[in-house]
Amino acid sequence: MGHKKDDKQTLEQLQIPISLERFTKEIPKRYRDGEFAESRIEKVNQEWTHFQRSMRKQWSFGKKIAAFTIAAAASLVLFMGSGFVSPTMAKMLAKIPPLSSVYDHDVNLSDLITKELKKEGYPIKEVQEHIGGDKEGVYIYLEASDEKVKKMKPGIEKISFNILHGEKFKGTRIEDYYVRVRKFVDEPKSWKKKQARIDKEITETFEIVNPVLKSYGYENALSASPETIELEFPNTESKKKIAEIQKAVEDALKTAGNNSFKVKTKTFNLAKREHYSRWSDAVTGIWHEFITYKKYHVSGVGYKSIDGEKMQIEIRMNLPSTDLKTAELAKELNTMTEDFIHSEEIWQKVKDDPYEIIITSKDKKRMNE
């Protein structure tokens, strides 16, 4: 049971689950695993907060989607636009054709559209990418009345589509984006007040708990929700010490008069986490190239650690096995993936780990051996 849960969580490193609550909880772990460049963390924080709050009303919780299908829904706002891959990785990728074009410039589509629309005098409040599902696109929010929004809509759509269909995004799925123009509606003051109170409580709790964890040799080993603190430990740690740390945390909270949080613990497979960390840049680079460009006919990319030793990389095509070009394209994808993995910097990072590339068709038939 534990292995299955661990696999699911790590596959979600390349996914935006429909549940924003679950995705939010993964963000601190991603920072700890070194998946964000330090120079970009502040921007990621700002964009994630904005993304989370604005999408809170529009996404439904609890909807389950197959792991490799969800991979196609990963947010370019967080991963590409905000520097998910470190600057060193980006420069290295630019040297390896054809896994290069995504990284030869730092493109943030929302910023690009915002800049062009503001240049024309439109009262833009924010621009958001909506990624995932059969339809993907851009929502543009204006600080204007309903009447003015309706009047400005044609001009805004024209400028936006000129960008989406321009040379910069030629051949990418961004060409197929829709554009929606809406009046900006701010969150209610009551919601903002409640959110500020929750943020304050969690911050104060972290200030109580972190020194306790540090005294036992752990840093950033916790996450928190409005009602629960979860302590995370490697599976190499003894149950006795975990129980001791949990009690020390509970005592510290009690002494501080903070009794509103329930303290829970969980363990993770250390070998698997280190395994995923070694391969994260490699899989992210492959994912960006194959998902971004329509010519590859790829709907998802995922990876799975087998006992922390062998890495399985699955590439799911959106063509059926009966299509005459599927087999030939699968060979090309396999060759590109092999070349990329064996590039000098990537190969050094994955430490010569054994791996397997699995390329499947839309009807789930394996297309490479």
Side-chain angles (χ1 to χ4, degrees):
M1 183 68 73
H3 289 299
K4 188 175 291 186
K5 182 179 179 182
D6 195 52
D7 289 344
K8 180 179 178 182
Q9 289 173 335
T10 42
L11 277 171
E12 289 171 356
Q13 289 177 358
L14 295 184
Q15 302 160 5
I16 290 288
I18 293 301
S19 168
L20 285 178
E21 180 181 8
R22 185 173 63 203
F23 182 68
T24 305
K25 288 175 67 177
E26 288 292 310
I27 293 294
K29 182 171 74 66
R30 293 183 179 190
Y31 286 168
R32 294 198 299 274
D33 290 349
E35 295 182 18
F36 291 92
E38 287 187 20
S39 61
R40 300 296 188 85
I41 286 180
E42 182 178 354
K43 185 174 182 181
V44 172
N45 271 320
Q46 293 171 349
E47 292 193 6
W48 169 249
T49 300
H50 167 73
F51 181 79
Q52 178 192 7
R53 291 180 179 179
S54 59
M55 295 290 281
R56 188 180 294 268
K57 308 170 192 174
Q58 302 173 46
W59 289 54
S60 60
F61 285 2
K63 186 176 179 182
K64 296 183 70 176
I65 297 180
F68 290 109
T69 301
I70 300 177
S75 171
L76 297 183
V77 173
L78 287 173
F79 292 153
M80 184 165 74
S82 298
F84 176 72
V85 177
S86 68
T88 301
M89 179 65 182
K91 290 178 182 177
M92 183 276 294
L93 285 169
K95 301 175 185 176
I96 307 171
L99 294 178
S100 60
S101 49
V102 176
Y103 296 98
D104 61 7
H105 53 274
D106 188 11
V107 177
N108 186 308
L109 180 61
S110 297
D111 288 348
L112 189 60
I113 293 175
T114 298
K115 182 180 178 181
E116 290 302 311
L117 291 176
K118 284 189 174 181
K119 190 188 298 182
E120 297 300 318
Y122 289 107
I124 305 300
K125 176 63 178 179
E126 59 190 32
V127 177
Q128 300 172 359
E129 283 185 69
H130 281 209
I131 311 297
D134 295 331
K135 295 287 186 178
E136 300 178 329
V138 177
Y139 272 74
I140 300 170
Y141 293 95
L142 308 179
E143 287 189 302
S145 64
D146 290 329
E147 185 179 347
K148 288 185 177 180
V149 169
K150 186 176 181 181
K151 186 177 180 179
M152 290 185 282
K153 181 180 176 182
I156 290 174
E157 289 178 336
K158 182 179 179 180
I159 292 172
S160 301
F161 279 122
N162 282 341
I163 293 172
L164 298 175
H165 300 160
E167 190 64 30
K168 187 183 293 290
F169 300 111
K170 189 173 183 178
T172 73
R173 45 203 271 276
I174 292 174
E175 284 185 316
D176 302 326
Y177 274 12
Y178 59 72
V179 174
R180 304 281 188 266
V181 182
R182 299 285 187 267
K183 174 184 176 180
F184 176 76
V185 179
D186 201 2
E187 292 93 352
K189 289 183 178 179
S190 59
W191 184 88
K192 287 184 177 181
K193 187 176 180 180
K194 180 181 178 181
Q195 189 64 36
R197 177 180 57 78
I198 292 173
D199 291 345
K200 183 174 181 291
E201 288 177 357
I202 291 177
T203 299
E204 290 174 348
T205 302
F206 271 52
E207 291 173 352
I208 297 168
V209 175
N210 270 324
V212 177
L213 292 175
K214 193 172 182 179
S215 70
Y216 283 93
Y218 285 98
E219 293 188 45
N220 302 316
L222 76 155
S223 59
S225 67
E227 297 178 352
T228 305
I229 292 174
E230 191 168 66
L231 309 177
E232 187 180 53
F233 302 99
N235 59 349
T236 52
E237 187 59 272
S238 69
K239 292 182 179 180
K240 181 179 179 181
K241 186 172 179 180
I242 290 175
E244 181 183 336
I245 297 173
Q246 180 179 6
K247 185 177 186 307
V249 168
E250 290 171 340
D251 289 345
L253 289 170
K254 187 176 181 180
T255 300
N258 190 333
N259 299 312
S260 60
F261 289 90
K262 183 176 181 179
V263 180
K264 295 183 178 181
T265 64
K266 72 173 183 179
T267 59
F268 60 88
N269 186 305
L270 181 60
K272 283 190 175 183
R273 176 163 295 185
E274 291 175 345
H275 199 201
Y276 281 114
S277 180
R278 290 198 298 274
W279 280 84
S280 63
D281 278 347
V283 178
T284 301
I286 294 164
W287 178 88
H288 271 306
E289 177 76 15
F290 291 166
I291 292 294
T292 298
Y293 289 90
K294 294 184 286 185
K295 64 184 177 181
Y296 299 122
H297 296 280
V298 170
S299 60
V301 175
Y303 61 157
K304 179 180 179 181
S305 172
I306 308 299
D307 299 325
E309 297 175 358
K310 180 181 179 180
M311 185 60 71
Q312 281 187 347
I313 300 172
E314 180 167 338
I315 299 168
R316 175 72 59 81
M317 301 176 72
N318 58 23
L319 295 174
S321 58
T322 53
D323 192 310
L324 295 178
K325 63 184 177 184
T326 302
E328 188 60 34
L329 180 56
K331 288 181 182 179
E332 293 180 14
L333 295 176
N334 191 86
T335 298
M336 289 171 63
T337 303
E338 287 278 10
D339 289 346
F340 181 63
I341 291 172
H342 283 271
S343 62
E344 184 178 353
E345 292 191 43
I346 288 293
W347 192 241
Q348 288 178 357
K349 188 164 187 177
V350 300
K351 296 186 176 181
D352 294 340
D353 289 339
Y355 66 91
E356 179 183 19
I357 301 169
I358 300 173
I359 301 177
T360 57
S361 61
K362 188 176 182 179
D363 49 335
K364 300 182 180 180
K365 291 188 177 181
R366 182 161 180 171
M367 304 304 298
N368 70 321
E369 296 299 333

